[in-house]
Amino acid sequence: MRTYTRGAPTVFFISLLWPLLWPLLVGEVDPSGGIPFMGGNYDGHPMLYFSHGDVEEMQAAAAGTHRDMARRIREAGETMLEHPEEYLPPWSPAEFSARWNEVYGNNLGVLSMFCLLYPHRAGALDLARDYMERMAAQPSWLVKDAPWDEVPLAHSLVGFATAYDFLYEYLSKGQQERFLQVIGNASRLMYEKSYVRGWGFQYLHNHQPTNCVALLTGSLVYMTQGYLQEAYLWTKQVLDIMEKSMVLLQDVTDGSLYEGVAYGTYTTRSLFQYMFLVQRHFAISHFDHPWLFKHFAFLYRTILPGFQRTVAIADSNYNWFYGPESQLVFLDRYAMRNGSGNWLADLIHQNRVTEGPGQAGKGQRWCTLHTEFIWYDPGLIPKPPADFGTSQLHHFEDWGVVTYGSALPADTNRSFLSFKSGKLGGRAIFDIVHRNKYKDWIKGWRNFNAGHEHPDQNTFTFAPNGVPFITEALYGPKYTFLNNAVLFGPAVSGSCFKPWAGQVTEACDSKWLKYKVGLAADAQGRVEAAMERQGMVFIRGEGQSAYSPDLKIKSFQRNLLLLHPQLLVLVDHIHLDTDSSTRAMSAFFHNTELPFQETKVDGVHGAFVSHGGDAYKMFWMDDTGFSDKGAVGYWNYPRGYPYNGSNFVNVTMPLKYPHTRVAYIFFGPGVDVQSFSLRGDAQRVDIYLATKERTYTIYLLTGEVTSKPLFAMVLADRKKIVFEKAGAVVDSSPEEVEEYVNVVEDNLQHAKPVFQQMERHILGRVLNTASFRKTAERLLQFSDKKKTGEIIERMFAMSKKQGKGKGGKKINFGDKLSESLPDIFAQIEVSEKKERQRTTKRMYEDNPEEGEGDGDSRAFVDYADSRKNRKGAFVKGRKYKEVHMVATAGSEDLSSTASYIRLFLMLNIVTFFLLLAVLLTRFQRGRSLHTQRCFYAILLIDSLILLYLYSSCSRTQC
């Protein structure tokens, strides 16, 4: 019997424990990102991003590991000290609200960090207090001409609340109380507006995280000061909105944001603050979110050579609205952990434009310096991605954008190419709307806002040698011709510029893109191919669905062939239906800075721009050899846009049935084009191009059914490059997140235990003091008024009985009093839900069209709290974990506990394997079966202890 079973228990125990030991050996990802969970245990202010005990360490870091960031913070602070009249908010409410005023809130955050790092700098604290007094004196932080837009209010609130938290101990008692009242009033207004404004239910739009983080910041400060009931409602509203966004963001598989890079940084400025704050204060972790790991590419793959500009798709400036250094160090510390974020942040800062086009806006340049300082991890050595230094092709499959040659040093033959052809709002949003996904939350386009997008399907940009030759037209009117796109004529139905018809999303009488209803709601383009072969790039897009079906265009195919870093060939293929009345196309090409000039060579018309003494040229011709003269000019934007306008070339060509091909060549000063011609048939178009160094023959197959499975083939002297159809882009869409409602509900349950812990702490602090009654009234502020007095009297009587428990052990009267209270959070949730349902119903009956506008007040949050006890609960059939609160004075004790558990765990692992080794080497032979059984029993007990320690370590994230 011994012979056959001797080794079985050993194998059994090793197999049992191997899954537990493996994560310890390879290293386990910390879902908290290393951010300690406070658990409602605060020692006053500061508390938002760090505790009072961390300030001294931060001041030391400012002189050491963080000195570069601290230097920028100090420069900002010194600039404000030198010119206070330029940076202080005005006292006059009329002047404060006369224009877009986000600058005041944006600058206050960095000023308060400056004061915290350098508290002995003469005049700094006085300036900050004066700054806050001026803001507190305003009756409203809204802009007079845009009272419906809470974004300026959000910037002021988040800056003011952050400064209040950072500088609390430097404020007088009167200032603490008055400034808290200002924070409460602003937060209360934001909360009310979250039910009736689009940012409360239009997901993944930049306004949503901006306003929600402002409300969350205000609510956390208010919570710390003991106003628990209101702060709880505000927090739950923010969590309900933003946690839905985090679920929907899982459908965005490429890390992009549909509003483009500039507005993307606007979104992530607040989105990353949200991720940090909810982990620190509510143990809600998003640091394993798949989108987060892909987002670095959105910043890295969109930078033009020289690291000063980005691809300016959608409403945009030349690069980034906010950061992106802060966002990059955040990604590095909490997601990537490879040094690439720190590296790119350093490189962007080194190449920053300080004057002229591309310089950071005065209202935004300092806004993220304090979060960059907080999130920076000096232990991550800056390291470029493995492919840095070579031109790479990247396809953002959700965004519908292809880039090539990004993030390179500015140099000869370091060129950048981009192409856009995608679904309105990006694939994720478009498919959510059209496939009725997440139907518990989403009711069509009213839950999204594509207003900042452009009518830009099948558009491109080209920067040979890094010089912007063909550019986007930045933040301007939503007209098709202000993009590098095509119009068709004559227009059959309504259009903005008859007789020409642009894309169906262009807006004739609005500053925002048309997207909600009609043909615009279904507009889309498609990237059909994006591939690189032997240093050449081929991209194909289909844009027919972006135009009115009345034009009866069967196909609008745009093909790009990058033959050389300074030589691009673009071919438009237009296939008309038999009964189409469309007779002409009009293509536009833009440069926001350099004017185009006309040129002509051997009867072929063209245009060029001059840059640094070099000419960057373009020529065009159709498949009959016809080349018409183009129109060059400048389009002035109307008032109200941040840019004056754009230079353009307009090329108009006749169309014939069934198809027309028009070819354009673009080249830099390093290429000398000597001849250019093309001819075509039903299946393909052949292009002959000769430069001084090389001859190119291009066979472009444009038909739906082709004789060979190819997109294109290029003969360059004796080299053949083939772009096969097997490499075509395959369109797919992710599945709906499983149990998405429960995922959000689980995270919402993290809030109440924190507030209950705060309730216990507050009661414990004021026991048997003169302020007890006042504190109890504050806690019960929104409870049933009839019962409030009775409850307070009972609590007050209990507080006088505090003494010693049995055995001399002191009773925690904070806990006991808290248990005697009614569930103040459940009460206010129920009453708030009833009130919202009542007011929402009344508002909808009074204004039934409201559902189509920005003020859809039907999108209210359901505050159903289905928890029945403290051991666990069920939400719609699925058990979720209780959020455990640590009854400690602060997060340091939690960290200490985790350290001890980790130590015991490691010691127990060593003991286990030592016993196992003794059993295998000493007791396998010559020992009685009874002795071996005793050792196996010891091993079994030790393994159970090991399992217990491992589970404890997992719970405390050690």
Side-chain angles (χ1 to χ4, degrees):
M1 186 72 177
R2 295 179 196 171
T3 305
Y4 294 101
T5 63
R6 181 189 302 167
T10 302
V11 174
F12 170 74
F13 283 124
I14 293 176
S15 301
L16 177 67
L17 293 171
W18 181 249
L20 301 177
L21 298 175
W22 176 249
L24 296 174
L25 296 174
V26 301
E28 189 173 8
V29 176
D30 184 358
S32 72
I35 301 169
F37 171 43
M38 299 307 295
N41 301 291
Y42 304 105
D43 55 0
H45 295 281
M47 48 73 67
L48 285 173
Y49 295 92
F50 47 84
S51 301
H52 190 273
D54 301 321
V55 173
E56 190 173 336
E57 184 180 336
M58 292 169 60
Q59 291 170 345
T65 56
H66 291 55
R67 58 184 173 273
D68 288 338
M69 274 154 283
R71 176 178 50 80
R72 295 196 284 274
I73 291 171
R74 184 156 196 164
E75 288 173 356
E78 295 291 350
T79 301
M80 285 187 264
L81 278 171
E82 290 174 15
H83 308 282
E85 71 287 346
E86 187 177 342
Y87 293 97
L88 282 172
W91 285 105
S92 166
E95 188 178 349
F96 185 92
S97 63
R99 61 187 178 89
W100 194 263
N101 54 32
E102 70 180 60
V103 62
Y104 302 126
N106 288 351
N107 286 346
L108 186 51
V110 71
L111 177 59
S112 60
M113 178 62 88
F114 171 62
C115 293
L116 202 66
L117 296 179
Y118 307 101
H120 303 299
R121 171 61 171 94
L125 284 167
D126 289 336
L127 178 68
R129 285 188 286 254
D130 186 19
Y131 202 120
M132 296 182 74
E133 287 283 8
R134 289 165 178 254
M135 291 194 70
Q138 306 303 319
S140 172
W141 288 337
L142 294 169
V143 174
K144 181 183 65 175
D145 293 334
W148 58 85
D149 193 342
E150 285 77 42
V151 169
L153 167 61
H155 284 268
S156 292
L157 175 56
V158 76
F160 194 87
T162 301
Y164 183 89
D165 179 61
F166 287 5
L167 305 180
Y168 183 81
E169 66 174 307
Y170 300 106
L171 303 175
S172 69
K173 185 69 174 176
Q175 287 174 325
Q176 291 172 358
E177 293 177 355
R178 281 189 293 107
F179 293 169
L180 181 65
Q181 186 177 8
V182 170
I183 292 169
N185 291 339
S187 300
R188 195 172 296 111
L189 177 61
M190 291 291 289
Y191 172 70
E192 291 296 329
K193 295 302 182 183
S194 70
Y195 287 95
V196 297
R197 296 284 197 246
W199 59 268
F201 57 88
Q202 291 179 336
Y203 301 103
L204 308 182
H205 183 255
N206 71 88
H207 285 195
Q208 191 170 77
T210 299
N211 293 356
C212 282
V213 164
L215 179 54
L216 178 63
T217 306
S219 69
L220 288 171
V221 169
Y222 222 49
M223 172 191 75
T224 308
Q225 292 298 314
Y227 293 90
L228 298 186
Q229 285 185 305
E230 271 197 293
Y232 178 66
L233 284 183
W234 302 344
T235 299
K236 283 290 290 287
Q237 175 71 331
V238 170
L239 294 178
D240 185 82
I241 294 169
M242 290 301 299
E243 289 305 309
K244 289 175 182 175
S245 280
M246 297 308 298
V247 169
L248 299 177
L249 199 57
Q250 292 191 45
D251 278 24
V252 183
T253 58
D254 59 7
S256 69
L257 289 166
Y258 73 99
E259 291 184 290
V261 176
Y263 267 106
T265 60
Y266 202 152
T267 296
T268 54
R269 160 191 170 264
S270 297
L271 182 64
F272 290 174
Q273 289 181 61
Y274 173 81
M275 290 183 181
F276 183 94
L277 291 172
V278 296
Q279 170 56 47
R280 176 174 169 83
H281 299 286
F282 304 110
I284 300 173
S285 175
H286 293 294
F287 297 119
D288 57 352
H289 198 292
W291 175 88
L292 200 62
F293 291 93
K294 293 279 191 176
H295 187 63
F296 177 75
F298 186 64
L299 298 171
Y300 178 59
R301 301 294 183 188
T302 54
I303 303 177
L304 271 65
F307 300 93
Q308 294 183 340
R309 299 191 180 195
T310 65
V311 57
I313 291 170
D315 280 344
S316 177
N317 61 357
Y318 287 96
N319 38 51
W320 312 274
F321 283 144
Y322 287 94
E325 295 94 332
S326 174
Q327 293 92 321
L328 285 165
V329 300
F330 178 94
L331 288 172
D332 216 348
R333 180 170 185 172
Y334 301 117
M336 302 187 300
R337 305 290 305 169
N338 60 12
S340 293
N342 288 353
W343 167 82
L344 186 55
D346 288 344
L347 213 52
I348 288 173
H349 180 72
Q350 292 169 19
N351 291 278
R352 275 285 186 184
V353 177
T354 56
E355 291 185 11
Q359 66 178 325
K362 187 177 179 180
Q364 297 86 31
R365 56 180 170 169
W366 297 330
C367 179
T368 57
L369 290 181
H370 65 292
T371 52
E372 183 185 358
F373 185 95
I374 293 167
W375 294 333
Y376 175 65
D377 184 352
L380 297 171
I381 307 303
K383 180 183 178 182
D387 60 14
F388 173 67
T390 59
S391 296
Q392 298 292 321
L393 185 72
H394 189 85
H395 179 208
F396 294 95
E397 69 275 7
D398 188 277
W399 195 18
V401 171
V402 180
T403 64
Y404 178 77
S406 62
L408 294 169
D411 202 356
T412 302
N413 291 334
R414 300 290 199 185
S415 300
F416 179 84
L417 175 68
S418 74
F419 181 74
K420 160 78 184 297
S421 193
K423 294 180 176 179
L424 178 65
R427 182 186 65 189
I429 289 176
F430 189 91
D431 288 355
I432 288 171
V433 170
H434 288 80
R435 299 184 183 183
N436 198 27
K437 297 169 70 175
Y438 305 101
K439 58 186 178 181
D440 289 315
W441 303 337
I442 306 301
K443 309 301 178 188
W445 275 114
R446 78 175 182 88
N447 288 110
F448 299 101
N449 188 337
H452 282 300
E453 283 202 63
H454 287 192
D456 59 0
Q457 308 308 333
N458 274 9
T459 61
F460 77 106
T461 68
F462 184 42
N465 302 332
V467 175
F469 179 18
I470 305 299
T471 74
E472 296 283 358
L474 306 180
Y475 199 139
K478 308 306 182 283
Y479 301 144
T480 305
F481 76 86
L482 290 178
N483 298 273
N484 302 310
V486 175
L487 291 82
F488 295 97
V492 178
S493 53
S495 68
C496 298
F497 298 95
K498 288 187 177 181
W500 297 104
Q503 297 182 11
V504 292
T505 52
E506 75 174 5
C508 307
D509 53 2
S510 172
K511 194 175 181 179
W512 315 116
L513 188 79
K514 186 164 57 177
Y515 69 93
K516 287 185 178 180
V517 295
L519 296 173
D522 302 323
Q524 60 178 304
R526 184 174 72 255
V527 174
E528 296 186 335
M531 56 187 77
E532 180 186 8
R533 300 288 185 270
Q534 300 181 46
M536 294 186 184
V537 175
F538 174 76
I539 304 170
R540 173 177 290 180
E542 174 57 59
Q544 175 266 340
S545 295
Y547 294 87
S548 171
D550 293 339
L551 294 170
K552 298 189 177 178
I553 298 171
K554 190 174 184 180
S555 173
F556 168 37
Q557 185 188 102
R558 178 161 270 190
N559 301 270
L560 282 74
L561 264 164
L562 187 66
L563 303 175
H564 176 276
Q566 297 188 50
L567 178 59
L568 173 69
V569 176
L570 184 150
V571 180
D572 285 334
H573 166 81
I574 298 94
H575 191 166
L576 301 177
D577 285 328
T578 53
D579 55 346
S580 174
S581 60
T582 304
R583 292 292 178 263
M585 63 174 286
S586 186
F588 282 81
F589 307 91
H590 289 267
N591 191 303
T592 51
E593 296 174 63
L594 306 174
F596 288 98
Q597 302 176 60
E598 297 176 2
T599 187
K600 183 179 180 181
V601 176
D602 296 333
V604 180
H605 287 274
F608 70 94
V609 299
S610 296
H611 181 273
D614 293 323
Y616 291 81
K617 302 177 182 179
M618 63 177 290
F619 293 90
W620 53 84
M621 179 190 302
D622 71 8
D623 50 2
T624 66
F626 175 70
S627 177
D628 199 5
K629 180 180 179 180
V632 299
Y634 184 86
W635 180 270
N636 287 294
Y637 292 169
R639 290 186 61 184
Y641 291 94
Y643 299 98
N644 294 326
S646 178
N647 302 285
F648 67 86
V649 177
N650 177 210
V651 179
T652 301
M653 289 286 194
L655 297 178
K656 60 184 184 299
Y657 174 80
H659 42 65
T660 302
R661 286 73 169 253
V662 181
Y664 312 82
I665 58 172
F666 307 84
F667 54 95
V671 172
D672 182 11
V673 176
Q674 298 180 333
S675 65
F676 163 50
S677 63
L678 70 154
R679 66 185 182 190
D681 58 26
Q683 291 293 317
R684 75 184 200 203
V685 58
D686 301 341
I687 303 168
Y688 305 95
L689 189 62
T691 68
K692 191 174 182 180
E693 295 80 17
R694 183 169 291 185
T695 301
Y696 299 93
T697 303
I698 302 167
Y699 302 102
L700 183 64
L701 285 73
T702 58
E704 292 182 11
V705 179
T706 56
S707 57
K708 295 182 179 180
L710 306 176
F711 286 117
M713 182 170 65
V714 179
L715 302 178
D717 294 336
R718 297 185 179 181
K719 186 168 64 173
K720 181 169 72 172
I721 300 94
V722 176
F723 300 96
E724 66 285 350
K725 283 194 172 181
V729 172
V730 178
D731 189 27
S732 61
S733 185
E735 294 296 320
E736 185 178 84
V737 174
E738 292 185 6
E739 298 188 68
Y740 60 90
V741 173
N742 293 334
V743 170
V744 170
E745 192 62 36
D746 281 1
N747 285 339
L748 287 178
Q749 304 309 318
H750 287 232
K752 184 183 283 189
V754 172
F755 282 85
Q756 289 171 330
Q757 182 77 344
M758 285 292 299
E759 182 186 10
R760 288 190 284 270
H761 282 321
I762 291 169
L763 289 174
R765 283 200 301 265
V766 298
L767 278 174
N768 213 23
T769 67
S771 61
F772 179 83
R773 186 182 296 273
K774 182 179 179 181
T775 302
E777 289 174 350
R778 181 188 299 177
L779 288 175
L780 295 165
Q781 183 178 5
F782 294 94
S783 298
D784 188 342
K785 302 297 182 185
K786 296 179 181 179
K787 299 180 180 179
T788 298
E790 178 186 337
I791 294 169
I792 291 175
E793 290 300 328
R794 189 167 70 245
M795 291 169 59
F796 191 66
M798 288 182 62
S799 71
K800 292 182 177 180
K801 296 178 181 178
Q802 76 171 302
K804 296 285 183 176
K806 290 182 180 180
K809 187 176 180 181
K810 188 173 177 68
I811 300 170
N812 188 334
F813 269 84
D815 288 352
K816 192 159 186 173
L817 282 173
S818 177
E819 291 171 4
S820 73
L821 277 173
D823 188 338
I824 60 176
F825 306 110
Q827 280 188 1
I828 194 172
E829 279 184 320
V830 171
S831 60
E832 181 71 1
K833 180 182 176 182
K834 290 178 180 177
E835 177 63 21
R836 291 297 165 190
Q837 288 176 332
R838 187 162 54 248
T839 57
T840 298
K841 186 171 186 284
R842 185 170 64 248
M843 289 176 66
Y844 181 64
E845 288 172 350
D846 292 344
N847 186 9
E849 289 82 21
E850 191 72 19
E852 296 299 324
D854 289 339
D856 189 344
S857 56
R858 285 176 292 168
F860 62 90
V861 59
D862 187 352
Y863 281 135
D865 185 357
S866 54
R867 297 201 303 166
K868 300 300 180 185
N869 54 60
R870 291 194 159 273
K871 294 181 180 178
F874 288 84
V875 179
K876 296 190 180 180
R878 189 161 67 92
K879 195 172 191 295
Y880 61 82
K881 294 180 180 178
E882 179 73 23
V883 183
H884 295 276
M885 307 304 301
V886 290
T888 58
S891 60
E892 292 81 1
D893 293 338
L894 177 62
S895 177
S896 175
T897 302
S899 299
Y900 281 120
I901 292 175
R902 188 188 304 113
L903 176 63
F904 286 129
L905 178 62
M906 297 307 297
L907 288 175
N908 204 73
I909 290 172
V910 172
T911 303
F912 177 83
F913 279 105
L914 182 63
L915 289 171
L916 187 62
V918 170
L919 178 64
L920 293 174
T921 58
R922 299 276 183 175
F923 292 94
Q924 286 289 358
R925 297 179 183 178
R927 298 289 177 180
S928 67
L929 181 62
H930 176 73
T931 303
Q932 292 190 31
R933 284 173 177 170
C934 288
F935 261 83
Y936 281 130
I938 293 171
L939 278 174
L940 179 60
I941 294 170
D942 196 58
S943 67
L944 293 174
I945 296 172
L946 186 61
L947 284 167
Y948 172 76
L949 289 172
Y950 184 85
S951 64
S952 299
C953 191
S954 175
R955 283 198 303 271
T956 56
Q957 299 175 347
C958 64

